[in-house]
Amino acid sequence: MAHHFDFAPRLMPAVQAAHFLGVSESKLRTLPIPRRVHGGKRAYHINDLIAYADALPIEGEAEKNSCDGIFGVKS
């Protein structure tokens, strides 16, 4: 019998982690997100997935380390 949870588990297999981020499983495997090893199984920790998503650039915002802001260049 399948279990249904109202929360995301802390460790997720690739299929579930990809769904959590909204990317394909093959794309997930190319991203620089560490995997954890637990009992011979590899899984993604929810905090690593959230940190990766939070670090993505926001459309329309200048890069934080861009020289454009220093010299007043507007996009």
Side-chain angles (χ1 to χ4, degrees), residues 19-51:
H19 180 75
F20 183 80
L21 287 179
V23 299
S24 68
E25 190 176 345
S26 59
K27 176 65 176 176
L28 173 70
R29 294 186 190 282
T30 68
L31 301 176
I33 303 172
R35 290 186 297 172
R36 312 290 175 107
V37 179
H38 179 62
K41 294 182 180 183
R42 288 168 177 70
Y44 293 87
H45 193 284
I46 190 168
N47 291 346
D48 295 329
L49 298 170
I50 292 170

Side-chain angles (χ1 to χ4, degrees), residues 33-75:
I33 303 172
R35 290 186 297 172
R36 312 290 175 107
V37 179
H38 179 62
K41 294 182 180 183
R42 288 168 177 70
Y44 293 87
H45 193 284
I46 190 168
N47 291 346
D48 295 329
L49 298 170
I50 292 170
Y52 174 80
D54 285 348
L56 291 172
I58 297 173
E59 185 177 16
E61 285 189 3
E63 281 188 38
K64 292 178 184 174
N65 296 327
S66 173
C67 292
D68 291 350
I70 296 170
F71 296 106
V73 177
K74 296 182 181 178
S75 302

